[in-house]
Amino acid sequence: MKVKNVFTAYKNACYQALGLFFVALGIIGIVLPVMPTTIFFILALACFTRSSPTLAAWLLNHPRYGVTLQQWQAYKVVPKRAKLFAATGMFIGLIILMLGHPPWWVVGLVASIEIVVMIYLLSRPSTAPKV
């Protein structure tokens, strides 16, 4: 067996394992209101797109998240509702963090990351272009 084929097989296995890990985190996010869901499915889709067309198709055809993932893949669309849930979840998470009295730099770091994430989300379109 050639080294390139072995490398490709290991790379695909790692992408698939990482994708399944992200799917598991997404499922946890369905149950826990403070944890996001869609972003983990987007990350899983990125992994599956590089390693398994079957798993990528499974996510893209999912009855609940398929349309959102298709719009993300085609146009980088983040629906308004997802933006609202992301902002709310991050805000609640920051409040919970602050209630634990962490060092000021931890609050500042988390708040900075959340601001950057929100700027990115707000810069994405909320609907797919009309064709």
Side-chain angles (χ1 to χ4, degrees):
M1 198 178 325
K2 293 185 179 181
V3 173
K4 184 177 181 180
N5 293 343
V6 171
F7 175 75
T8 301
Y10 280 118
K11 181 185 75 163
N12 287 343
C14 288
Y15 272 128
Q16 288 177 19
L18 190 59
L20 291 171
F21 173 71
F22 287 137
V23 167
L25 289 177
I27 291 169
I28 291 169
I30 292 170
V31 178
L32 297 176
V34 196
M35 191 164 164
T37 300
T38 308
I39 187 64
F40 290 118
F41 289 148
I42 288 171
L43 291 170
L45 180 61
C47 292
F48 293 154
T49 300
R50 289 167 177 76
S51 63
S52 172
T54 304
L55 290 172
W58 170 70
L59 272 181
L60 289 170
N61 295 314
H62 189 274
R64 172 72 173 96
Y65 297 101
V67 173
T68 302
L69 293 171
Q70 290 169 19
Q71 289 181 348
W72 170 261
Q73 192 174 46
Y75 306 108
K76 303 296 184 243
V77 167
V78 179
K80 288 180 184 177
R81 186 169 184 226
K83 292 176 185 180
L84 177 65
F85 279 125
T88 304
M90 286 189 288
F91 182 72
I92 290 170
L94 187 62
I95 296 297
I96 292 170
L97 175 69
M98 290 190 303
L99 291 174
H101 304 292
W104 65 268
W105 63 269
V106 172
V107 174
L109 179 65
V110 170
S112 299
I113 292 169
E114 289 182 355
I115 289 169
V116 169
V117 169
M118 276 315 301
I119 289 171
Y120 178 77
L121 289 176
L122 293 173
S123 73
R124 303 290 94 205
S126 295
T127 57
K130 304 276 191 251
V131 178

